[in-house]
Amino acid sequence: MPHKEVVVSIYLAFWIIAPLSAQLTLEGGRGLGMGGATSTFSDYNSIWANQAGVAHVENLSISVFAQQHYWLTDIQTLGAGIIMPTASGNFGWSVKYLGFDAFKEQNMGL
C-alpha cells in the first residue's frame, strides 16, 4: 500500500496541473459549468464554441467575459463577441485574448 504522503502528493500534482492545460479554453461560466460540453450551444454562447449555432440566434446578442484563476494571477482570458441577425442571415464577430507576459494569444473571428 502506498504511503499516504505519496498519494496526497500525486493528487495535489494533478489538481494543480489540470487547470494549466493549454487546450482548456472554455469561455464563460456556462461552458465551465457544463464540463466543456459546448457543442450544443445555440444562443449567444455559440460564438465561442459552436459557430453553427449562431444561425439560431433571433435577437442582437452581446457576450463579454473575463477569467483569472485566483492562484495564477498572471494568466487571464478576456473576450467579447456580438451576434447580429439580419435579413441575409446571422453574422457574428468575436475577439479573445489569452496569456501573460511571456506568452500571448489573440484570436478574432467573423
Side-chain angles (χ1 to χ4, degrees):
M1 175 120 191
H3 295 316
K4 183 178 179 181
E5 294 82 14
V6 173
V7 173
V8 170
S9 298
I10 292 172
Y11 174 77
L12 287 176
F14 282 115
W15 183 73
I16 291 170
I17 292 172
L20 299 178
S21 172
Q23 301 302 316
L24 182 62
T25 57
L26 301 174
E27 288 78 9
R30 186 171 175 206
L32 290 170
M34 293 182 62
T38 58
S39 61
T40 61
F41 289 170
S42 60
D43 58 3
Y44 67 92
N45 288 302
S46 63
I47 196 149
W48 306 112
N50 179 25
Q51 287 77 25
V54 170
H56 299 287
V57 176
E58 297 177 358
N59 299 316
L60 177 69
S61 301
I62 298 173
S63 174
V64 178
F65 72 90
Q67 178 181 356
Q68 183 172 351
H69 294 286
Y70 62 91
W71 67 87
L72 298 171
T73 57
D74 293 338
I75 300 175
Q76 54 181 280
T77 306
L78 308 168
I82 185 169
I83 300 173
M84 298 176 294
T86 66
S88 301
N90 292 358
F91 294 94
W93 179 76
S94 64
V95 62
K96 183 174 79 169
Y97 165 84
L98 165 73
F100 54 98
D101 290 337
F103 171 79
K104 294 181 180 164
E105 179 179 312
Q106 300 168 356
N107 298 325
M108 188 178 343
L110 178 63

